[in-house]
Amino acid sequence: MNLLFLGTSAGVPTKSRNVSGVALRESKGKGWYLIDCGEGTQHQVLHTKLSLNSLKAILITHVHGDHCYGFPGLLASAAMNGRTAPLTIVAPAGIKAWLDATYEATQLSLSFTLEFVASDDLPSVEFENIAVATYRLSHRSPSYAYEFTERKVDAALDVDKLAQKGIPRGPLWGQLKQGIDIEFAGERLKSRGFLIFKYKPVLGAV
């Protein structure tokens, strides 16, 4: 996975820096996650190769405007771009109340469903390739950090270690390569112990 900073300014934008928005991209494919969506975030996305149709989830750290004022506009643009796949939203409960009020006041209608997960409950959320854990932060309003763990990270088999254990080439090697723990010679062997990772699988984003 890798990070693309869409905005790093706090409170208000500057001429060279937009307010908070971070895109986290999966290592393979076009899937990505948006952490915070300050005003103008969708315009920042237009300067990248990211597609709103490939967006897997939006995670809001807290309710202050520089972290969420771009949220309704981005959703509306996703609908106008033809998105139909459900979208997961992980955010404090106040975000849902504000979004519901925006729906009603502006007659916003989306072509896809939102699956809202309250970060106040400190949930763990599972996606196809990413697991997300939630942590409470100290701030003026309820605020949360999100930790991303990529579950299908490219890895090579540690051939020397396999040879030391006497594990023969074949199906057992294939299972370990796929991240499946195995039983061998009466011992339970963890796949992670026989894999060499090119990148660290865990990345925290706030």
Side-chain angles (χ1 to χ4, degrees):
M1 68 178 79
N2 61 76
L3 290 178
L4 177 62
F5 293 95
L6 302 171
T8 57
S9 187
V12 297
T14 70
K15 289 183 178 180
S16 58
R17 296 166 60 199
N18 202 55
V19 287
S20 296
V22 179
L24 185 147
R25 297 182 290 191
E26 295 177 348
S27 296
K28 295 182 178 180
K30 298 180 179 180
W32 64 288
Y33 304 79
L34 178 62
I35 302 96
D36 283 338
C37 189
E39 180 185 359
T41 295
Q42 66 168 312
H43 193 261
Q44 295 293 94
V45 171
L46 292 175
H47 294 282
T48 73
K49 295 181 179 180
L50 300 173
S51 167
L52 296 181
N53 286 326
S54 301
L55 180 61
K56 299 291 186 68
I58 299 175
L59 305 98
I60 305 295
T61 58
H62 62 290
V63 299
H64 289 159
D66 55 326
H67 293 258
C68 67
Y69 279 171
F71 186 30
L74 184 140
L75 294 178
S77 291
M80 286 192 281
N81 286 337
R83 182 186 178 104
T84 57
L87 180 63
T88 300
I89 308 299
V90 184
I95 293 291
K96 186 176 187 304
W98 169 61
L99 190 59
D100 288 343
T102 302
Y103 277 13
E104 183 175 355
T106 65
Q107 301 179 24
L108 175 60
S109 178
L110 300 180
S111 56
F112 54 93
T113 59
L114 297 181
E115 299 174 351
F116 190 88
V117 179
S119 50
D120 309 271
D121 299 329
L122 301 182
S124 294
V125 185
E126 299 282 335
F127 298 94
E128 183 181 357
N129 297 321
I130 296 281
V132 182
T134 311
Y135 300 91
R136 197 181 306 276
L137 301 176
S138 177
H139 197 47
R140 290 184 292 121
S141 65
S143 185
Y144 304 94
Y146 302 107
E147 179 187 76
F148 294 79
T149 302
E150 192 165 28
R151 296 186 294 185
K152 297 180 181 178
V153 179
D154 284 338
L157 283 171
D158 189 333
V159 176
D160 292 337
K161 194 170 183 179
L162 289 164
Q164 290 172 10
K165 277 286 185 182
I167 303 172
R169 288 180 181 270
L172 292 179
W173 281 33
Q175 291 176 42
L176 291 170
K177 172 73 170 171
Q178 294 172 37
I180 301 171
D181 298 339
I182 66 169
E183 295 281 349
F184 180 74
E187 186 180 357
R188 183 72 173 172
L189 301 178
K190 299 281 188 180
S191 66
R192 184 167 291 272
F194 295 88
L195 296 176
I196 301 171
F197 291 96
K198 298 178 183 178
Y199 308 102
K200 292 182 179 180
V202 177
L203 175 66
V206 175

